[in-house]
């Protein structure tokens, strides 16, 4: 199969399955093509969760487009990684056509595109997906039906309470999440759905509306105290697939991409590799460092865009547990260059929904007992919200300053990209607002590509 056409050349698509096994034909074309095109710097971009193949190609096309003009003398090759995540088509993405479902009045149903994505992502679960879709469509009032919905979602993503199976991989123990079944499934599903519904109410309130009340609501109290639990049920499904994709991103990175980089290094040791990842793609490229063969030093930079994993992932000691380190403790030292983390406070997916879901996984109090803002500074925070944390020597810069000066040549660097990463609607906010010339400049600066 030919690689899709994008605005830059040479370009290769590298495809992995859920177990991290690459499409051998595409991998071999990449390995052979790098030498044939005399590539010196290879930029490898990985999309995140909530993407499909066509969306990933559009992302790569848009992000790569300004690079040839920014570095006209460089001998650059481009790789777009495609891995089996999934897309909720009702979530608008800046700079991309909105799905039909996104144009319709908001109602927590399972639209046909999302249903198709679930069928592709979780093969063999068609009956379960049909039952989930029926409940979301009918929205029955009985609490027992919400509990049934939770059982079906648990079955979909293979959460088996109360043991450590399936949903949480071993690495999540060091990411602030427990290894046993999360409370969002082992406790009252109805209560969890109400918590998610309340959080969504706050996120979707128009600017200036008091206490999260939407326009036309009779009062803030009524809006907050009477959320539609089926809105929360839809979010529960989203978060369940989120955790499944989180596990998969680590697997594909470590078992898949890391090994391919090692194979490239064995064939073309002079080629400088630069990894770029968005959302769970940031997690994927970070886990690729753990999968590098011993002695490989060809990765010259890693740029994380709105990374959807723990801000303590690279820490040698967790602030809330000095006996433990992050899941990727010390892995940034495998880069022969810097690890650059771009983050934005406008990313609602990571500033609110990520810590809420993570906290609810081990703390049934949820949002009702906690100040959402306070959650961000503790063990549940995401890298794409406030950058790498608890790694000594980490530098912090504003985007404008990062573009004016030279970036450090090693260690971790946090860049506040809120000046450009700022557009997007609920519930994700600016999470996918990453196609910007300035962020392409960051990738080139991190890799010292001229």
């Amino acid at each position: 199969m030919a690689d899709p056409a994008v605005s830059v050349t040479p370009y290769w698509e590298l495809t992995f399955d859920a177990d991290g096994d690459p499409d051998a034909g595409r991998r071999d074309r990449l390995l052979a093509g790098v030498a044939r095109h005399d590539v010196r710097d290879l930029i490898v971009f990985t999309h995140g969760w909530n993407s499909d193949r066509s969306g990933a190609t559009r992302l790569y096309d848009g992000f790569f487009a300004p690079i040839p003009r920014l570095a006209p003398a460089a001998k650059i090759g481009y790789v777009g990684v495609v891995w089996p995540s999934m897309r909720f088509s009702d979530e608008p993405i800046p700079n991309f056509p909105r799905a039909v479902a996104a144009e319709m009045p908001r109602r927590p149903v399972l639209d046909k595109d999302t249903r198709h994505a679930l069928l592709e992502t979780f093969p063999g679960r068609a009956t379960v997906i049909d039952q989930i879709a029926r409940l979301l469509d009918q929205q029955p009032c009985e609490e027992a039906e919400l509990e049934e919905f939770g059982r079906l979602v648990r079955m979909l993503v293979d959460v088996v309470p109360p043991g450590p199976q399936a949903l949480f991989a071993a690495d999540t123990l060091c990411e602030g999440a427990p290894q046993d079944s999360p409370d969002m499934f082992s406790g009252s599903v109805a209560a969890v759905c109400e918590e998610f519904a309340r959080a969504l109410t706050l996120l979707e309130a128009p600017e200036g509306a008091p206490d999260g009340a939407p326009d036309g609501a009779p009062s803030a109290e009524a809006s907050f105290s009477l959320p539609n639990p089926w809105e929360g049920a839809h979010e529960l499904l989203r978060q369940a697939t989120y955790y499944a994709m989180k596990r998969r991103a680590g697997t594909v990175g470590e078992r898949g991409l890391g090994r391919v980089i090692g194979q490239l290094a064995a064939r073309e040791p002079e080629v400088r590799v630069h990894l770029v990842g968005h959302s769970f793609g940031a997690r994927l490229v970070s886990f690729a460092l753990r999968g590098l063969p011993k002695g490989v030093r060809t990765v010259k930079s890693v740029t994380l865009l709105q990374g959807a994993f723990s801000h303590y992932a690279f820490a040698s000691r967790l602030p809330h547990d000095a006996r433990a380190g992050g899941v990727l403790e010390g892995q940034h030292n495998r880069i022969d260059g810097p690890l650059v983390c771009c983050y934005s406070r406008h990313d609602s997916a990571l500033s609110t929904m990520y810590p809420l879901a993570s906290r609810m996984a081990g703390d049934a109090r949820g949002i009702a007992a906690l100040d959402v803002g306070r959650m961000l500074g503790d063990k549940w925070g995401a890298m794409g919200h406030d950058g790498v944390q608890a790694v000594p020597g980490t530098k912090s810069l504003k985007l404008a300053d990062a573009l004016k000066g030279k970036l450090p040549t090693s260690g971790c660097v946090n860049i506040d990209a809120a000046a450009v990463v700022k557009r997007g609607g609920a519930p994700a906010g600016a999470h996918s607002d990453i196609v910007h010339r300035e962020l392409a400049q960051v990738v080139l600066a991190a890799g010292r590509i001229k």
Side-chain angles (χ1 to χ4, degrees), residues 2 28 35 41 100 136 154 178 235 244 262 304 349 384 424 446:
D28 294 345
D41 290 284
V100 173
L136 283 173
R154 185 169 58 237
E235 186 62 28
L304 310 179

Side-chain angles (χ1 to χ4, degrees), residues 43 66-67 70-71 76 439-450:
I43 302 176
I67 291 179
L70 293 170
I76 302 174
L439 298 184
Q441 287 179 269
V442 168
V443 171
L444 296 175
R448 304 179 295 286
I449 303 172
K450 300 179 181 178

